[in-house]
Amino acid sequence: MCGIVGYLGKNRAADILIDGLSKLEYRGYDSAGVAIIENSDIDVNKCKGRLANLQEKLKEHVLDGKIGIGHTRWATHGEPSDVNSHPHTNESGTIAVVHNGIIENYLVLREWLSSEGYKFVSETDTEVIPHLVDYYYEGDLLDAVMKAVKRMEGSYAIGVICKDEPNKLIAVRKDSPLIVGVGKDESFIASDIPAVLNYTRDVYLLEDNEFVLIEDKGITILDENKKKVEKEIYHVTWNADAAEKGGYEHFMLKEIHEQPKAIKDTLTSRVVKGQKINLDSINITKEQIQDIDKIYIVACGTAYHAGLVGKTAIEKLAKVPVEVEVASEFRYREPLINERTLMIVISQSGETADTLAALRLAKAENARVIAVTNVVGSSVSREADDVLYTWAGPEIAVASTKAYVTQLIAMYIIALYFAENKGSIRQSEIDKIKCGLLNLSEEAAEVLNQKDIIKDFAKKICNDKDMYFLGRGLDYAVALEGSLKLKEISYIHSEAYAGGELKHGPIALIEKGTKVIALATQEHLFDKMLSNIKEVKTRGANVIAIAMEGHDVIEKTVDSAIYIPRVKSLLAPILSVIPLQLLSYYVSIEKGCDVDKPRNLAKSVTVE
Ligand code: M6R
């Protein structure tokens, strides 16, 4: 939630900060602001709404300063407004702070600071930080920030500048992401790598409680005892273009089209025909795998839906019982975890607060944790015992698409790896699934070729108020994902139900003209699903089906059908989700919604 940037160098800070913020807007877009040291004073410009509003403001107020900090906000404490926008300053405006996270004890601090005579102007938790730094400031900004941080509870990545030390930028992180960009005669801080990629590919990935002191002479990283930390530079190998729209109208459409490549990249070198699954990055031993008696898959949103597919794959292939849990619920229900439990956390960003907390809970109970994440160096990747990266490349659109399909690939890989190590199913069966996986990239490209048909469907359904997604088995897991996608970017109310569950209540909602998207890709459940479709058709529903090629008999029952190539039922979710992603995208376009930045949402949910 929220994105922060900071710059010190030889160029105009305002331009670099705005450019950086434009790459972080996916983290929140309720307001934007910058603070720049200009003619020996801190000049703060901030306003409610998109970054474009700030850019407009800065056209009339040109800033030349070479050091500054910037922020794009997803509001938690205090409504989106000019006054609640970051940066926040102390009363005299000599110290400015940007913050991503939540200061959980801000009310106590606010009360205490007020009793010390400090005046607050905003409703934010963040405003306590500049006042705290002010309280401790005795001519050394680093010292004051270190003392202030000791009083703060919660999560934070902060950037701080001070008028009296105009050549210093201080930053620190705890439970919120922060990277440091290492340029030539210039240095950067940012919540995420794309914000600095136009200037440098060399970054430091900070750990919790590491402080950064940026000065003209360079970057120093210190621990909480002011001891210098020697860190290796992480060289970013992917292109800045990967985080650009590349000719597509929206990131989401680009990312949907990148799925064939993302599938291939996630499989490459791990799944090779005729060879055992190769997972160099996973250190879990054969004995440890054989010892596991329960697996929890814990995640949020789309990643949770990937976990549902993972459950079926692991139980079917590796024969270990799996429970899939929403991270925000898991951590508060005293789950039964011990050293024979394995937890798999799935998180595109690797920073989702609830997922990270579930991981920590599992570690505290001595369970082993495998992280499936898309972001190298993210919190879950650093804290888990093993990491399986999804090589989807940067996902910028708030609605997750290519991350989801690569999470599914990761689930199949883990299931096969465990099956091979346990000998739980025949090698010939494993080989067939591997072959199936290796064909998926091309088959996904075939599904994408049907986008014009799907665009036409979108025109027909875009004015509906409610919609239902149905499926059985793995199709139900995909139905949940399709329904989430439609809700989040087109604001149409939709629900997903297991086909057999309908007659236990929800069928009462079906009336003449109700739109139903029915998934019928599971070979062994096809006839049963057909019966469920007939049940809603009889009650007047208008049904679009997603089925596998060869099942065109479905056309006798439904109003329209979209076909995916014939694959093993287990692998069908990778292909059947694509028409649903495209459908949501085109409905959103038809309705004139902001596809990449849907209302009230942020890409990375780093608060509870
Ligand atoms: O970064 P994560 O995978 O942990 O994020 C989890 C969810 O917040 C995320 O999948 C969210 O549901 C997406 N907006 C869905 O498109």
Side-chain angles (χ1 to χ4, degrees), residues 440-457:
L440 281 173
S441 166
E442 275 177 31
E443 287 157 344
E446 280 175 45
V447 181
L448 286 169
N449 286 338
Q450 300 184 57
K451 63 171 179 275
D452 289 337
I453 308 173
I454 297 166
K455 206 172 181 171
D456 287 343
F457 285 143

Side-chain angles (χ1 to χ4, degrees), residues 56 70 76 228:
E56 206 49 43
T76 56
K228 217 170 149 188

Side-chain angles (χ1 to χ4, degrees), residues 210 330 479:
E210 284 181 342
F330 181 81

Side-chain angles (χ1 to χ4, degrees), residues 268-508:
T268 296
S269 84
R270 293 164 171 168
V271 180
V272 180
K273 214 172 163 186
Q275 290 179 20
K276 293 254 180 223
I277 299 282
N278 172 22
L279 291 185
D280 283 345
S281 59
I282 300 240
N283 298 314
I284 189 167
T285 62
K286 192 171 183 163
E287 291 67 37
Q288 283 167 328
I289 291 175
Q290 281 164 348
D291 251 14
I292 295 165
D293 64 7
K294 180 165 69 179
I295 298 179
Y296 281 117
I297 300 181
V298 185
C300 299
T302 286
Y304 166 76
H305 296 154
L308 295 174
V309 176
K311 171 185 166 74
T312 300
I314 294 171
E315 288 188 343
K316 186 176 164 68
L317 307 182
K319 313 287 182 204
V320 192
V322 181
E323 288 182 39
V324 193
E325 303 240 6
V326 169
S328 53
E329 292 295 319
F330 181 81
R331 57 191 289 202
Y332 294 113
R333 69 158 190 82
E334 297 180 30
L336 301 174
I337 308 171
N338 60 39
E339 59 287 350
R340 295 189 67 190
T341 310
L342 172 75
M343 179 182 279
I344 302 176
V345 292
I346 310 177
S347 175
Q348 187 284 130
S349 62
E351 302 294 345
T352 299
D354 288 315
T355 308
L356 194 53
L359 178 160
R360 288 176 182 160
L361 180 65
K363 298 274 309 167
E365 300 291 334
N366 299 318
R368 194 175 181 96
V369 180
I370 299 181
V372 172
T373 182
N374 197 35
V375 179
V376 175
S378 57
S379 297
V380 301
S381 75
R382 285 182 287 108
E383 295 192 28
D385 298 288
D386 304 293
V387 189
L388 189 63
Y389 284 112
T390 51
W391 296 120
E395 189 179 69
I396 309 293
V398 166
S400 184
T401 53
K402 61 177 179 171
Y404 172 75
V405 298
T406 57
Q407 286 161 356
L408 295 190
I409 295 286
M411 289 293 107
Y412 295 130
I413 291 176
I414 290 174
L416 287 172
Y417 187 66
F418 280 29
E420 278 182 346
N421 277 281
K422 289 186 70 190
S424 47
I425 55 164
R426 282 199 303 275
Q427 190 60 43
S428 56
E429 183 57 17
I430 292 179
D431 291 342
K432 276 188 207 151
I433 298 168
K434 283 184 189 164
C435 272
L437 282 171
L438 292 169
N439 290 333
L440 281 173
S441 166
E442 275 177 31
E443 287 157 344
E446 280 175 45
V447 181
L448 286 169
N449 286 338
Q450 300 184 57
K451 63 171 179 275
D452 289 337
I453 308 173
I454 297 166
K455 206 172 181 171
D456 287 343
F457 285 143
K459 288 196 177 106
K460 289 182 194 144
I461 64 175
C462 64
N463 293 320
D464 282 69
K465 295 271 177 286
D466 298 291
M467 227 168 280
Y468 297 90
F469 288 74
L470 301 185
R472 298 183 78 116
L474 287 177
D475 280 340
Y476 173 48
V478 178
L480 285 164
E481 174 57 10
S483 170
L484 173 66
K485 222 72 315 162
L486 187 75
K487 278 188 265 237
E488 68 177 334
I489 60 167
S490 76
Y491 318 140
I492 293 178
H493 168 248
S494 78
E495 306 266 1
Y497 286 106
E501 187 63 14
L502 262 197
K503 41 193 165 300
H504 299 284
I507 203 162

